Each structure stands twice: as C-alpha cells, then as structure tokens.
Amino acid sequence: MTDPANTSVINFGAGPAKIPQEVLKNVQRELLSYANTKISILELSHRSNDFKKIIDDAQASVRDLLNIPDNYKVLFMQGGGTGLFAAVPLNLMYKSGTADYLVTGSWSAKAAKEAGKYGKVNLVLPKQSKYTEIPDPSTWNLDPNAAYVYYCDNETVHGVEFNYIPETNGVPLVADMSSNILSRPFDISKFAVIFAGAQKNIGPAGVTLVIVRDDVLGNAMSVCPTIFDFSVMANDNSVHNTPPTFQIYVMGRVFDWIKRNGGVEGMEKLANLKSKVIYDIIEESKGFYTCPVRRDVRSRMNIPFRIGNNDEELEQEFLSGAVARGMLQLKGHRSVGGIRASLYNAVTEEDTQTLASYMRWFYQVHRE
C-alpha cells in the first residue's frame, strides 16, 4: 500500500490552498502535544497564557512583515471574506449612508451586493460585461461624501489584480486582500481597513486577518452582530468568543515561515518570477493558450487561461493529464470555466516549473 505521506502532489487550488510543507511538518510534530502543555493545540484553552502567547506572537509577526503602524489593530475574526462583506458596512457606514464600490470581479460584486443591505452602494466603475480589465481612474464616479471606498485588490476568479493603490481623496479606503496579502509590500497607512481570508495565502480556512485603523473603531451600527464589531474584537484581542485557535496557530507559523524566506519582499520576488514563467508560455503559444485579462492588470496569484479557442474537450484532457501527474485543482472557477493556476506564496518555483513543463509538452502534442 502507498504511504500517502510519501505521495507527492502539487495543490494549485484557489483555496483552501497550499500551505508550506515546512509549516505542515512543524504542525504535525506539535499536534499531539503543544509546547509544554501536554495537550493538543486543538484542545488548548483560548483563555490560557499559552494561547495568549500564540495570538500575541502572530500579531507581532504580521505587524513586522507589513510594517503596520501603532494606530492600527490586528484582529483574527471568523466568517471569512463573506462575513467581512457585511462587517465592513456595519462598522463604517456611520459617516454616510453611501459607500463607493469598485467592482472588478465576482468577489467585489458580491461585496457590493451585501453592502446594499445596510446602505446605498455607489458603483464607481462603468458596468462591464466581462471582468478582464480595470477601467482608467479618469472614468471612475467617486462620491466625495461616501463613507468609504471598497475594492478587491486581487480577484481570485477572474485573475485581475490592481498594481496600484486607488486614490480616494481622503475618503477611507477598504481593501479585500484575501488572495494576495503578504505577496508584496504596500503602504498600510493609506487604508482604513484591510482584510484577508487566510485560506489562500496565509493559512487554513476558518480565520480572517483584519487590520483596522483606530479612527474608524467604535461606530458600528446598532444591528451589527457583536462578533462582527471591530471595536469589541479589538478590545478583547480577538477572543471575545472562542476564536479559531488552531487556524491562528498555523497562521502564526506561516508568518514565521515568510520571515525566514525573505519576508514580503522575498514573496514578491518569487511571485513575479513564478507568474512570468506561466504567462510567458501562454504568450509564446501562438494562441494555443490564451489569457483573457489585459496584460497590465494580470494577477500574479491567479492565472486563468483557455486552451484551443475555448475547446472544453481539450481542456478536460489537460486537466486529467495534470491530475495524473500530481497537479491538482487546476480547473477554472465554475462561473468562467477553463483552467486556473493559483501561484500563492507556498507554491514553489519548482512546483511552477513542473506545471510549465507540462504546459509545454501539452502544446507540442496538440498544436496544429
């Protein structure tokens, strides 16, 4: 019988995504008995000093990695990105009943729809039939009286990524960075709120990293569930209720792994290298592989592409061959089809070259 631990596969999934092998091995060693507690990390009390150290260390690590100023709180919340779609308006619509939303893909569209339950949503961008570009800022319809401006920094489904921070002329800026957090440095001080579901780039599903500037705390709507009140969570250091203890522990280990591997700058260098390898193959394939996204906004994290003029039969053959070679979860999102390679921080250069070699071979076999 084959030992599953010795079976090598590569997870190219959009989430839950690959976690660094080094981190998984460390977790495995500590799973039955964490530190000196003699109990599993899964059983550790969230009120214990041992867990307080885990959460404090994780917060300190991410502060160091992103150079988070002292006037920001670092929270670990539940509900995922979808929960934060509601939490953001529930906490920030106090200044105005209107919020600006830049809709550049499925996730920002869903966020805008959710916010519409709690106030008026102003759609900043011209309506798009397909999410393949980010319209020029000169075409944006920003409301100077909006409570905040919201955008998704990297659209996981459609593979659209901002390569700049939007200018809001003083209106608080909110960003969903679920799928590209810790993949490049950026100026935290330009944001009021940043959130990121862990399951793509920084850990297992079940915890969301939230970074909140102090001046927007304490104004949640009366209907806001306590568990989504940023101020309550900040005052209780993310342990108002039982938090996702195991997920926070693993996320802290991932933060430490990033620090040992060049920090955010190291992750950026690797992300640029990996994505260039795949995009170069697409561009050099003479139309056999095609990426619908405009070149200047192509994601470094999620690369969607089609094969043979959207030949679904050929794409299925590609996917079956990839699975047979140990490359998993390359199927595109159900709403767009095709192929999608997610190259998050834990995906190595070697992993990427394995996919690249297969893409070259498949092209040679099937080109006309």
Side-chain angles (χ1 to χ4, degrees):
M1 181 179 294
T2 302
D3 180 359
N6 293 326
T7 303
S8 178
V9 296
I10 306 170
N11 179 10
F12 287 106
K18 181 176 181 177
I19 294 174
Q21 192 71 14
E22 178 185 329
V23 171
L24 291 176
K25 288 180 178 179
N26 288 337
V27 170
Q28 184 182 48
R29 283 194 293 270
E30 294 183 322
L31 188 61
L32 296 181
S33 179
Y34 172 72
N36 297 316
T37 66
K38 297 184 179 180
I39 61 172
S40 170
I41 183 67
L42 297 168
E43 304 169 301
L44 193 64
S45 169
H46 65 292
R47 303 293 182 190
S48 67
N49 287 331
D50 292 291
F51 184 71
K52 182 179 185 303
K53 185 175 187 312
I54 288 172
I55 201 167
D56 287 349
D57 287 351
Q59 289 169 334
S61 290
V62 76
R63 281 186 178 278
D64 182 45
L65 284 165
L66 291 174
N67 295 312
I68 299 174
D70 291 340
N71 63 320
Y72 285 77
K73 298 293 189 292
V74 175
L75 312 178
F76 300 130
M77 297 178 65
Q78 297 176 69
T82 301
L84 267 294
F85 294 168
V88 166
L90 285 167
N91 281 272
L92 269 68
M93 273 189 169
Y94 61 92
K95 285 187 177 180
S96 163
T98 300
D100 281 350
Y101 275 73
L102 284 77
V103 175
T104 55
S106 293
W107 292 114
S108 49
K110 290 180 179 180
K113 183 178 180 180
E114 185 69 21
K117 297 177 181 179
Y118 310 106
K120 181 182 177 183
V121 169
N122 174 46
L123 298 178
V124 172
L125 304 181
K127 187 174 180 60
Q128 302 179 68
S129 58
K130 294 182 179 179
Y131 299 118
T132 59
E133 62 178 340
I134 298 173
D136 188 90
S138 64
T139 67
W140 298 5
N141 178 34
L142 291 166
D143 179 356
N145 297 312
Y148 60 89
V149 176
Y150 179 106
Y151 79 110
C152 179
D153 202 37
N154 184 84
E155 290 282 2
T156 316
V157 172
H158 292 91
V160 174
E161 183 175 25
F162 278 78
N163 55 30
Y164 60 91
I165 297 174
E167 176 55 57
T168 65
N169 299 313
V171 175
L173 182 61
V174 177
D176 173 359
M177 294 190 179
S178 292
S179 51
N180 66 351
I181 191 77
L182 292 172
S183 70
R184 63 184 178 192
F186 63 93
D187 186 354
I188 291 279
S189 69
K190 292 184 179 294
F191 296 86
V193 179
I194 296 165
F195 68 88
Q199 68 275 10
K200 299 177 184 297
N201 229 10
I202 53 176
V207 61
T208 304
L209 168 66
V210 184
I211 304 167
V212 187
R213 199 170 63 211
D214 288 347
D215 66 299
V216 299
L217 293 172
N219 297 285
M221 295 180 185
S222 60
V223 296
C224 180
T226 302
I227 201 63
F228 281 164
D229 188 324
F230 293 155
S231 183
V232 171
M233 296 302 290
N235 289 337
D236 291 341
N237 197 28
S238 301
V239 290
H240 178 77
N241 66 325
T242 305
T245 55
F246 178 73
Q247 285 84 348
I248 293 170
Y249 153 77
V250 177
M251 191 163 58
R253 292 290 188 264
V254 173
F255 294 156
D256 292 342
W257 174 84
I258 292 174
K259 291 171 76 172
R260 291 193 299 273
N261 287 273
V264 176
E265 293 78 7
M267 296 298 106
E268 179 182 38
K269 182 179 179 181
L270 188 60
N272 291 341
L273 186 155
K274 292 184 297 186
S275 58
K276 185 177 186 302
V277 167
I278 302 303
Y279 282 125
D280 281 353
I281 291 173
I282 293 171
E283 292 305 314
E284 293 165 6
S285 71
K286 301 177 182 177
F288 180 79
Y289 297 117
T290 56
C291 175
V293 182
R294 202 174 72 186
R295 293 189 187 189
D296 63 328
V297 294
R298 286 180 175 176
S299 171
R300 301 160 304 127
M301 299 287 105
N302 311 101
I303 302 178
F305 61 93
R306 303 302 302 258
I307 301 176
N309 196 27
N310 301 353
D311 185 329
E312 294 184 5
E313 185 175 334
L314 198 57
E315 289 171 346
Q316 186 54 54
E317 184 178 342
F318 178 93
L319 291 167
S320 298
V323 170
R325 291 163 174 79
M327 291 175 280
L328 310 181
Q329 300 197 75
L330 281 163
K331 186 175 181 179
H333 191 271
R334 61 187 178 276
S335 65
V336 295
I339 317 295
R340 176 177 52 175
S342 294
L343 307 178
Y344 298 128
N345 286 347
V347 175
T348 67
E349 182 180 355
E350 181 182 2
D351 294 339
T352 307
Q353 290 293 353
T354 299
L355 174 59
S357 295
Y358 175 56
M359 289 177 68
R360 291 191 192 97
W361 174 85
F362 195 85
Y363 165 68
Q364 292 294 335
V365 170
H366 294 279
R367 65 179 177 175
E368 292 183 358

Short mmCIF file of all heavy atoms in Angstrom, two decimals, residues 5 33 62 86 90 92 104 151 166 177 187 194 206 208 218 231 237 252 296 317:
data_model
loop_
_atom_site.label_atom_id
_atom_site.label_comp_id
_atom_site.label_asym_id
_atom_site.label_seq_id
_atom_site.Cartn_x
_atom_site.Cartn_y
_atom_site.Cartn_z
N ALA A 5 1.79 9.95 2.86
CA ALA A 5 2.75 10.99 3.22
C ALA A 5 3.90 11.07 2.23
O ALA A 5 4.58 12.09 2.13
CB ALA A 5 3.28 10.74 4.63
N SER A 33 0.93 17.29 21.24
CA SER A 33 1.34 17.93 22.49
C SER A 33 2.01 19.26 22.15
O SER A 33 3.15 19.28 21.68
CB SER A 33 2.31 17.03 23.26
OG SER A 33 2.72 17.66 24.47
N VAL A 62 2.93 39.57 11.98
CA VAL A 62 2.33 40.21 10.81
C VAL A 62 2.55 41.73 10.85
O VAL A 62 2.70 42.37 9.81
CB VAL A 62 0.83 39.84 10.68
CG1 VAL A 62 -0.03 40.59 11.68
CG2 VAL A 62 0.34 40.09 9.25
N ALA A 86 -20.15 41.96 5.07
CA ALA A 86 -21.17 42.59 5.91
C ALA A 86 -20.55 43.44 7.01
O ALA A 86 -21.03 44.53 7.32
CB ALA A 86 -22.07 41.52 6.54
N LEU A 90 -21.31 47.50 8.18
CA LEU A 90 -21.88 47.57 9.52
C LEU A 90 -21.02 48.40 10.46
O LEU A 90 -21.52 48.99 11.42
CB LEU A 90 -22.06 46.15 10.09
CG LEU A 90 -23.24 45.35 9.51
CD1 LEU A 90 -23.13 43.88 9.89
CD2 LEU A 90 -24.57 45.93 10.00
N LEU A 92 -18.58 50.81 9.16
CA LEU A 92 -18.06 52.03 8.56
C LEU A 92 -19.09 52.96 7.94
O LEU A 92 -18.76 54.08 7.57
CB LEU A 92 -17.02 51.69 7.49
CG LEU A 92 -15.57 51.60 7.97
CD1 LEU A 92 -15.37 50.42 8.91
CD2 LEU A 92 -14.62 51.49 6.79
N THR A 104 -14.65 44.87 -9.87
CA THR A 104 -13.73 44.40 -10.91
C THR A 104 -13.76 42.88 -11.07
O THR A 104 -12.93 42.32 -11.78
CB THR A 104 -12.30 44.84 -10.59
OG1 THR A 104 -11.94 44.38 -9.27
CG2 THR A 104 -12.17 46.35 -10.64
N TYR A 151 -12.54 48.11 -2.54
CA TYR A 151 -12.11 47.37 -3.73
C TYR A 151 -11.49 46.04 -3.33
O TYR A 151 -11.09 45.83 -2.18
CB TYR A 151 -11.15 48.20 -4.59
CG TYR A 151 -9.72 48.27 -4.11
CD1 TYR A 151 -8.70 47.63 -4.81
CD2 TYR A 151 -9.36 49.00 -2.98
CE1 TYR A 151 -7.37 47.71 -4.40
CE2 TYR A 151 -8.04 49.10 -2.56
CZ TYR A 151 -7.05 48.45 -3.27
OH TYR A 151 -5.74 48.52 -2.86
N PRO A 166 -5.69 52.66 -5.14
CA PRO A 166 -6.59 53.71 -5.64
C PRO A 166 -6.52 54.99 -4.81
O PRO A 166 -6.40 54.93 -3.58
CB PRO A 166 -7.97 53.05 -5.53
CG PRO A 166 -7.71 51.58 -5.56
CD PRO A 166 -6.40 51.40 -4.85
N MET A 177 -7.89 41.84 0.51
CA MET A 177 -6.61 41.33 0.01
C MET A 177 -6.48 39.82 0.26
O MET A 177 -5.37 39.31 0.43
CB MET A 177 -5.45 42.08 0.65
CG MET A 177 -5.36 43.53 0.27
SD MET A 177 -3.80 44.27 0.84
CE MET A 177 -3.98 45.95 0.23
N ASP A 187 1.84 50.37 1.42
CA ASP A 187 1.72 51.37 2.48
C ASP A 187 0.41 51.19 3.23
O ASP A 187 -0.66 51.60 2.75
CB ASP A 187 1.82 52.77 1.86
CG ASP A 187 1.85 53.87 2.91
OD1 ASP A 187 1.69 53.57 4.11
OD2 ASP A 187 2.02 55.04 2.52
N ILE A 194 -8.20 46.63 6.05
CA ILE A 194 -7.74 45.60 5.12
C ILE A 194 -8.15 44.27 5.72
O ILE A 194 -8.00 44.06 6.93
CB ILE A 194 -6.21 45.62 4.97
CG1 ILE A 194 -5.74 46.93 4.33
CG2 ILE A 194 -5.71 44.44 4.14
CD1 ILE A 194 -4.26 47.17 4.48
N GLY A 206 -10.96 29.31 7.93
CA GLY A 206 -11.61 29.44 9.23
C GLY A 206 -11.21 30.67 10.01
O GLY A 206 -11.77 30.93 11.07
N THR A 208 -9.92 34.97 9.49
CA THR A 208 -9.72 36.11 8.59
C THR A 208 -8.85 37.15 9.30
O THR A 208 -9.17 37.56 10.42
CB THR A 208 -11.06 36.74 8.19
OG1 THR A 208 -11.89 35.74 7.61
CG2 THR A 208 -10.85 37.86 7.19
N GLY A 218 -15.44 51.88 16.93
CA GLY A 218 -16.41 52.40 17.88
C GLY A 218 -17.66 53.02 17.28
O GLY A 218 -18.39 53.74 17.97
N SER A 231 -14.62 47.09 17.05
CA SER A 231 -14.21 47.66 18.33
C SER A 231 -14.23 46.62 19.45
O SER A 231 -13.30 46.53 20.25
CB SER A 231 -15.13 48.83 18.70
OG SER A 231 -14.70 49.44 19.90
N ASN A 237 -9.03 41.61 22.12
CA ASN A 237 -7.88 40.98 21.44
C ASN A 237 -8.28 39.72 20.68
O ASN A 237 -7.61 38.69 20.76
CB ASN A 237 -6.76 40.66 22.44
CG ASN A 237 -5.43 40.41 21.75
OD1 ASN A 237 -5.16 40.93 20.67
ND2 ASN A 237 -4.58 39.59 22.37
N GLY A 252 0.19 31.84 12.42
CA GLY A 252 1.41 32.37 13.03
C GLY A 252 2.65 31.65 12.55
O GLY A 252 3.70 32.28 12.32
N ASP A 296 -1.76 44.55 -18.33
CA ASP A 296 -1.31 45.42 -17.24
C ASP A 296 -2.01 45.16 -15.92
O ASP A 296 -1.60 45.71 -14.88
CB ASP A 296 -1.46 46.90 -17.64
CG ASP A 296 -2.91 47.29 -17.88
OD1 ASP A 296 -3.69 46.44 -18.34
OD2 ASP A 296 -3.26 48.45 -17.60
N GLU A 317 -8.98 17.18 -21.17
CA GLU A 317 -7.83 16.31 -21.35
C GLU A 317 -6.61 16.88 -20.62
O GLU A 317 -5.85 16.14 -19.98
CB GLU A 317 -7.52 16.15 -22.84
CG GLU A 317 -6.39 15.17 -23.12
CD GLU A 317 -6.12 14.98 -24.61
OE1 GLU A 317 -7.01 15.31 -25.42
OE2 GLU A 317 -5.02 14.50 -24.95
#
